[in-house]
Amino acid sequence: MYLASVAASEGAGWPEKLPLLPHPAEMIVGVIAFAVLYWMYSTKVVPNMEKLYAQRAAAIEGGMKQAEEAQAQAQAALDSYNAQLKEARGEAARIREEARTQGTAIVEEMRGQAQAEAARITDSAHRQIEAERATAATSLRGEVGRLSTDLASKIVGESLHDEVRQKGIVERFLAELESGAITPEKVDR
Amino acid sequence: MTGSIAYLGYGLAAIGPGIGIGLIFAAYINGVARQPEARGMLQTIAFTGMALTEALAILGLVFAFVFKG
Amino acid sequence: MSLTVISAQLLTSLVAEGDGSTFETPGTSDFWWPLFGGDSNWAFTRPSAVMLLTVVVLGWFFVSTSRRLALVPSKRQWLAEQTYDFVRNTIARDVIGTKDFKRFLPLLFTLFTLILLNNVAGIIPFIQYPTTSRIAFPIVLTLIVYITYHAVAIKAKGGVGKYLGSMIPPGLPGWLKPIMFVLELLTYFFVRPLTLALRLFGNMMAGHLMLLVFIIGGEYLLLHGSAPLKGAGVLSFGFSILMTAFELLIEFLQAFIFTMLTALYLADAVSEHH
C-alpha cells in the first residue's frame, strides 16, 4: 500500500505527496548544510574550544601548584621562625642564668673586697692607734722621767738630770712599774 | 464526518508506548532521587529504554501514514 | 510559519473561496512551500532557505566567537561555551567515556546546534518553520549518523564478521542465539535509524501542526464565527501562545535526544564488547 501510494502520488506533485517522502532537493541542501557546518566546527570551533579547555585546566593546575608552593614556603618560614624562637628562648635562658651566676659572683667578690677593705681599715686603725699609743707612751715616759727628775731636783735642790740620765733611774722605775713590782696609786691612761 | 481510520489506529497504538515511557522515567526519577550520584549512568539507561519504547509509537506513526490512503 | 502563513493562507483562501467562509483544516500539505521551481523534485523550498540561513548564523556565531577566546569569558563567549560544554561534558563525555569522546565532538556539536536552531526556527518570529518537520533533513542527519556508527564499529571491532558476531550478547543458551542475533540485527540496521529520523520529524511536524490548528482555527472562529465562538477563538489564540512555550521545550528536548542517542550508538560502537 505504501508503494502503491508512492506510485499514485508520482504525478500529483509535492503538496499531495506523503509527508514521509523526502524531497530530493531538500536532501541535497541538508547534506551541504551539514557538511559546511561540520567543516567549520571541526577545523575552527572545536580545536579552539579544546585549546581553551586545556589552557583553563593548565591555569587551574598552575594555580594549585603555586598555592601548594606558597603553602610549603609559609610552612618552611613558620618552621624556621619557630626554630629561631626556640633558639632565642634558650639563649635568653642561658644569658639569664649566666647573669645570675655572674651577679652572685660579683656580689661575692664585692663582699669579699669590702670585708678585706674593712679588715684592712680596721687593721691600719689598730696599728695607728698602737703606734700612737707607743709614741704617747714613749713621750709620756720621757715626760714623766723629766717631770719626776724636775720634781726631785726641786726637792733635792740640784740638777739631777745628768745623773738620772747616766744611771737610768727613771727607766728602771718605769720598768718596775710596768712589771707590777710597784703599784701606782693612780694611773691616768 | 470524514477522515482516515488509520489515525485513530495510531492514537490507540500510542497508548502502550506512552505508558511504557512513563514507567521508564518514573523509575529514572526514583533512581536519581535515591542515588543522585548515579545520575549519569541512569540517564544513559533511561534514554536507551525510551528509544526502544518509542520505536513502537514511531512505527505506528509510519503505518498510519502508509495505510491512510 | 504560523503568523506569516496565516496571512498567506488567508489571502489564498480569499482568492479561492471568495469570502473565505469555509474552514480548511491545516494538514501535512501545509508544509510544502516552494520558493522557486514550482512543484518539481528540484524546487528550492522555504525550509531549504531556513536551513542554509541557520548554517550561516551558527557558523558566524561560533567561528567568530571561538576565534578570540579568553580565559575569562565575555557574555557571548559564555553562551557559546555553555552550549559547547553541554554537548562536550553532559552528552559526549558522560556517554562515550573520557577515552574516545574527543574525536566525535565535531559531529555531535554539529548535530546538536543544527537540530536545535532548526527546531527553534519553528517559533522564531518571521521564520516560524521548523526545518526538521520536513523529513528530508532528519533523514540526511540520520544517514550520516548511521554510516558513522557502523563505520566506527567495524573499525573498532576489527572487521564486518566480528562486528556481526559482537551483536550476540555473551552467555546466552545456544537455542536463543539466532533469535537474539536477528533481533539485534533488526535493531542496529533498521529500528535505530528509523526511530532516530522519525522521532525528530514526527515531534516537529506534530508540534507545528498543533500550533497551526490553534492559530488558524482561532482566526477562523474570530472572523467567521458567531459571538460565543469569537470568545473561543480568543481562547484558541491564547492557548497557541502557551503551546509555543511548550514547543520550545519540545524543540530543545528533541535536539538533546537526537544527540544523546547518537552518542549512545557511538559509545556502543567503540566499546570493546557488546
Side-chain angles (χ1 to χ4, degrees), chain C residues 26-74:
Chain C
T28 49
S29 57
D30 284 332
F31 288 82
W32 172 248
W33 194 342
L35 293 178
F36 314 106
D39 284 352
S40 77
N41 275 356
W42 309 105
F44 187 72
T45 56
R46 194 175 140 89
S48 302
V50 175
M51 172 61 92
L52 293 179
L53 182 73
T54 57
V55 169
V56 170
V57 169
L58 284 173
W60 167 77
F61 178 74
F62 282 106
V63 169
S64 70
T65 309
S66 72
R67 198 166 277 158
R68 39 191 161 76
L69 289 171
L71 277 184
V72 180
S74 63

Side-chain angles (χ1 to χ4, degrees), chain A residues 14-15 19-28 31 33-34 37-38 40-41 45-46 48-50 52-53 56, chain C residues 29 32 39-41 43 45 47-48 55 62 66 71 81 84-85 88 102 105 107 110 113 134-135 137 140 144:
Chain A
W14 277 98
L20 289 179
L21 221 56
H23 186 258
E26 283 179 355
M27 282 182 81
I28 292 165
V31 170
F34 182 87
L37 202 62
Y38 183 85
M40 279 198 275
Y41 281 179
V45 178
V46 172
N48 282 344
M49 286 285 189
E50 286 302 314
L52 180 76
Y53 269 78
R56 201 165 282 171
Chain C
S29 57
W32 172 248
D39 284 352
S40 77
N41 275 356
T45 56
S48 302
V55 169
F62 282 106
S66 72
L71 277 184
E81 249 181 60
Y84 186 74
D85 203 64
R88 182 186 191 268
K102 272 193 181 150
L105 277 178
L107 174 71
T110 310
T113 51
R134 292 292 294 173
I135 189 135
F137 299 112
V140 164
I144 290 163

Side-chain angles (χ1 to χ4, degrees), chain A:
Chain A
M1 200 176 273
Y2 176 75
L3 286 176
S5 64
V6 170
S9 63
E10 202 64 46
W14 277 98
E16 300 307 319
K17 278 193 183 172
L18 270 175
L20 289 179
L21 221 56
H23 186 258
E26 283 179 355
M27 282 182 81
I28 292 165
V29 169
V31 170
I32 292 169
F34 182 87
V36 169
L37 202 62
Y38 183 85
W39 174 76
M40 279 198 275
Y41 281 179
S42 59
T43 54
K44 302 231 165 65
V45 178
V46 172
N48 282 344
M49 286 285 189
E50 286 302 314
K51 216 194 287 168
L52 180 76
Y53 269 78
Q55 269 176 8
R56 201 165 282 171
I60 290 167
E61 232 161 67
M64 271 161 74
K65 211 180 189 178
Q66 221 168 359
E68 256 168 38
E69 260 168 29
Q71 208 170 12
Q73 265 177 357
Q75 189 60 43
L78 185 69
D79 282 351
S80 79
Y81 166 76
N82 274 341
Q84 274 176 358
L85 195 67
K86 209 170 155 189
E87 205 174 297
R89 277 212 188 107
E91 182 91 347
R94 202 173 54 72
I95 287 169
R96 219 179 294 130
E97 191 60 34
E98 202 170 287
R100 194 177 294 135
T101 42
Q102 230 167 20
T104 326
I106 287 167
V107 167
E108 283 300 313
E109 195 186 317
M110 291 310 270
R111 189 179 288 149
Q113 261 180 5
Q115 271 171 353
E117 186 79 357
R120 194 180 59 77
I121 288 168
T122 322
D123 203 37
S124 81
H126 278 172
R127 227 175 288 133
Q128 205 172 351
I129 290 164
E130 185 60 31
E132 271 168 16
R133 193 191 59 83
T135 321
T138 317
S139 87
L140 201 62
R141 188 169 291 181
E143 199 72 9
V144 167
R146 204 176 45 82
L147 277 176
S148 44
T149 316
D150 278 354
L151 281 171
S153 299
K154 271 176 188 158
I155 297 162
V156 176
E158 64 181 293
S159 181
L160 296 175
H161 281 282
D162 290 340
E163 212 174 337
V164 167
R165 201 173 295 138
Q166 281 169 4
K167 292 183 181 171
I169 295 164
V170 178
E171 297 298 317
R172 202 175 61 237
F173 167 74
L174 281 175
E176 278 169 8
L177 194 71
E178 267 176 7
S179 63
I182 51 170
T183 45
E185 278 161 29
K186 192 181 173 187
V187 179
D188 202 16
R189 244 183 89 175

Side-chain angles (χ1 to χ4, degrees), chain B:
Chain B
M1 196 182 249
T2 55
S4 172
I5 201 162
Y7 293 129
L8 204 64
Y10 173 60
L12 290 172
I15 294 171
I19 295 170
I21 289 171
L23 287 175
I24 287 167
F25 278 98
Y28 167 63
I29 291 165
N30 249 327
V32 174
R34 281 189 194 177
Q35 261 179 306
E37 69 273 11
R39 186 192 173 138
M41 215 173 73
L42 288 178
Q43 197 174 41
T44 313
I45 297 168
F47 276 105
T48 323
M50 190 213 70
L52 279 175
T53 317
E54 212 187 31
L56 299 172
I58 288 166
L59 285 176
L61 181 75
V62 174
F63 285 121
F65 279 123
V66 170
F67 290 130
K68 81 166 180 181

Side-chain angles (χ1 to χ4, degrees), chain B residues 7 25 40-41 43-56 58-59 61-63 65 68, chain C residues 28 90 94-95 187 190-191 194-196 198-203 205 253-254 256-257 260-261 264-265:
Chain B
Y7 293 129
F25 278 98
M41 215 173 73
Q43 197 174 41
T44 313
I45 297 168
F47 276 105
T48 323
M50 190 213 70
L52 279 175
T53 317
E54 212 187 31
L56 299 172
I58 288 166
L59 285 176
L61 181 75
V62 174
F63 285 121
F65 279 123
K68 81 166 180 181
Chain C
T28 49
T90 311
D94 286 3
V95 175
T187 305
F190 184 68
V191 176
L194 194 73
T195 54
L196 202 59
L198 287 177
R199 178 183 302 112
L200 183 59
F201 156 75
N203 273 292
M205 198 194 70
L253 204 65
Q254 287 309 315
F256 171 61
I257 287 176
M260 179 87 177
L261 286 174
L264 260 178
Y265 298 158

Side-chain angles (χ1 to χ4, degrees), chain C residues 96 100 103-104 107 144-159 163 262-263 265-271:
Chain C
I96 301 176
D100 296 301
R103 60 187 163 127
F104 299 121
L107 174 71
I144 290 163
V145 172
Y146 186 69
I147 293 166
T148 308
Y149 82 74
H150 279 306
V152 166
I154 288 170
K155 208 177 147 199
K157 265 127 191 162
Y163 178 41
T262 304
Y265 298 158
L266 287 171
D268 202 13
V270 294
S271 68

